[in-house]
Amino acid sequence: MRFPKAFWLLWCGQALNRVGSLAPAFLVLYLEQDHLVDSRTTPLVVGLFGAGVLASSLVGGALADAIGPRRTIIGAQPVAVVTALLYLVTSNMAALCSLALVTGFLSAVDRPASAGLIYEIVPRADFERAYSLYLVGFNVGMSLSPVLSGFLLAYSPPLLFFVWAVGSSLYAALLMGLPKDGGSTGRQGSRGPVLREAARSMAEPFRSPVLAGFLGLTFLMACIYLQVNSTLPLGMRGEGMSPGEVGVVLAVNAVASVVLLPLAPRVARHMREEVPLALSALAIAVGFGLNAFAHSVPGFIVATLVWTLGEVLWAPTSAGFVANRAPEGKVSTYQGSMFFAWNTAAVAGGPIGLVVANTFGYSTLWLSVLVLGLAVTCGFKALVKVPGFRTSPADTAPVSPDHVQVP
């Protein structure tokens, strides 16, 4: 599997950055451990972090198309370094809340820009394969991050922020080796008009009937999948499982996704576009539905493996679906709309799941998400009837490596 040097620089940079990134859970633990916040203000910090992530989805994509994805990612890293170091000298509550908002924004602002950058530096025919491999590095980094953060928090909490600063610096340094952003139409002219156009373009994907339908279905599917961060661990604890056993089940997802992600594009290669999307939703629905019948570690592992299959099939095919429908120079903006739909579900899906579980029980929750997932599966199959689903051959034809500018 040969990709340009630029792709591997991006891969290494984002993987290192994810290892050192500050997850919201460890930010809260640090702030509570040093008595900088209490239980009354912790939800505010977490909420502001989430608001920053949500805003970064749209802003990061539009900014990448306006000034270039390479410039967007590199430009965010010095801000991340300064933000990390400010935590070490800040104790004021208002300032900490502002830093939490900025931290959330910086943690995800590079996601749509990276997708747009991959689209530029690899042949179009290889986009899904490259994006899958990119996600392997992302998942490896995100898997190692809690381990490192837990050690640093116990050993020397300030090191959390020094490691974050170092990771951000390495990310910027590696991306300096990428070719400079091209002078596409969207990036020409004075900075003011370009940024105003970027602001207007954020709403553009939502005006496309097929993408509006896709984004709505993405939101609903993410509401199911993101139970992994809220109700799933609590449901396993309710079945009498220890924290270590819960960790083992979730580790199965991390390992399986790293192994299976590179294979997903091969499986989907010869399918019609709506088929892998529908299969993803079906596997996620059935996987979480199986939790209703799981009462021990083996049962939850089986359920986890099923919804992990949906996760790994979804990631590259959904990115390719959106990229195929993005106008020239708007790939990052359109990718940002997908991240926005997904991150919005993180705000809504977790709390709704907790309400359902606490009111009606976890078995009712898992069967409810199964029914919702089956409806989403039918929705993805029905996208073929929505205007804009069909793309022109030129939009999806393989791109010759000779037409891709790489160093």
Side-chain angles (χ1 to χ4, degrees):
M1 188 181 299
R2 299 183 60 185
F3 290 116
K5 173 186 173 183
F7 171 81
W8 292 110
L9 289 173
L10 174 64
W11 193 96
C12 293
Q14 62 91 23
L16 288 171
N17 185 56
R18 296 301 161 187
V19 171
S21 62
L22 188 63
F26 288 95
L27 173 59
V28 169
L29 288 173
Y30 168 80
L31 295 176
E32 288 190 348
Q33 180 174 296
D34 281 25
H35 306 291
L36 297 172
V37 300
D38 55 34
S39 58
R40 294 171 298 175
T41 52
T42 296
L44 176 60
V45 172
V46 173
L48 288 169
F49 187 100
V53 172
L54 197 59
S56 71
S57 305
L58 294 178
V59 175
L63 193 61
D65 286 332
I67 66 174
R70 173 183 178 272
R71 191 176 290 117
T72 298
I73 298 172
I74 292 175
Q77 303 319 306
V79 182
V81 171
V82 172
T83 302
L85 298 180
L86 282 175
Y87 274 107
L88 300 175
V89 295
T90 302
S91 58
N92 177 270
M93 176 53 60
L96 287 171
C97 286
S98 299
L99 287 175
L101 179 66
V102 175
T103 302
F105 183 89
L106 293 170
S107 70
V109 70
D110 67 318
R111 296 291 303 281
S114 294
L117 191 54
I118 293 170
Y119 192 83
E120 289 187 359
I121 62 181
V122 304
R124 173 63 194 92
D126 293 333
F127 175 73
E128 284 82 3
R129 287 198 305 131
Y131 193 73
S132 293
L133 194 58
Y134 166 85
L135 289 176
V136 169
F138 181 90
N139 288 343
V140 168
M142 292 297 287
S143 298
L144 294 176
S145 177
V147 178
L148 178 60
S149 295
F151 171 77
L152 294 176
L153 189 64
Y155 178 72
S156 179
L159 286 178
L160 281 169
F161 304 100
F162 284 112
V163 170
W164 179 20
V166 170
S168 297
S169 300
L170 291 174
Y171 196 10
L174 286 170
L175 261 68
M176 292 295 291
L178 270 65
K180 293 183 178 179
D181 295 310
S184 64
T185 305
R187 298 172 196 155
Q188 291 176 349
S190 61
R191 186 60 51 85
V194 167
L195 295 180
R196 282 195 294 271
E197 172 59 28
R200 285 194 296 268
S201 70
M202 290 182 195
E204 191 175 303
F206 300 92
R207 293 195 289 264
S208 163
V210 69
L211 283 176
F214 170 84
L215 294 171
L217 292 168
T218 296
F219 167 78
L220 293 175
M221 193 177 77
C223 284
I224 299 171
Y225 174 83
L226 292 172
Q227 299 304 312
V228 69
N229 295 330
S230 54
T231 57
L232 181 56
L234 294 174
M236 287 191 282
R237 290 299 304 273
E239 293 290 342
M241 293 169 57
S242 68
E245 289 173 324
V246 172
V248 168
V249 173
L250 297 180
V252 168
N253 165 250
V255 174
S257 63
V258 168
V259 173
L260 296 175
L261 264 169
L263 305 178
R266 299 180 186 179
V267 174
R269 182 179 303 165
H270 302 296
M271 297 179 182
R272 298 191 307 273
E273 276 192 295
E274 78 279 7
V275 174
L277 299 177
L279 288 176
S280 300
L282 179 62
I284 288 174
V286 171
F288 278 92
L290 285 173
N291 290 327
F293 308 99
H295 305 289
S296 61
V297 172
F300 280 107
I301 286 178
V302 170
T304 298
L305 287 172
V306 174
W307 59 256
T308 298
L309 290 174
E311 174 192 359
V312 300
L313 187 58
W314 164 262
T317 54
S318 59
F321 183 89
V322 173
N324 285 343
R325 287 154 184 84
E328 180 70 24
K330 296 290 183 68
V331 173
S332 294
T333 298
Y334 276 58
Q335 294 291 330
S337 69
M338 183 174 66
F339 288 120
F340 178 79
W342 190 272
N343 291 330
T344 301
V347 177
I352 292 173
L354 288 170
V355 170
V356 172
N358 292 332
T359 305
F360 303 104
Y362 280 93
S363 292
T364 300
L365 169 66
W366 302 133
L367 294 176
S368 297
V369 300
L370 171 61
V371 172
L372 176 60
L374 294 176
V376 172
T377 301
C378 295
F380 279 124
K381 285 291 291 181
L383 280 180
V384 294
K385 301 177 182 178
V386 179
F389 180 84
R390 303 297 177 189
T391 56
S392 65
D395 294 332
T396 56
V399 178
S400 168
D402 296 336
H403 296 155
V404 180
Q405 294 182 353
V406 294

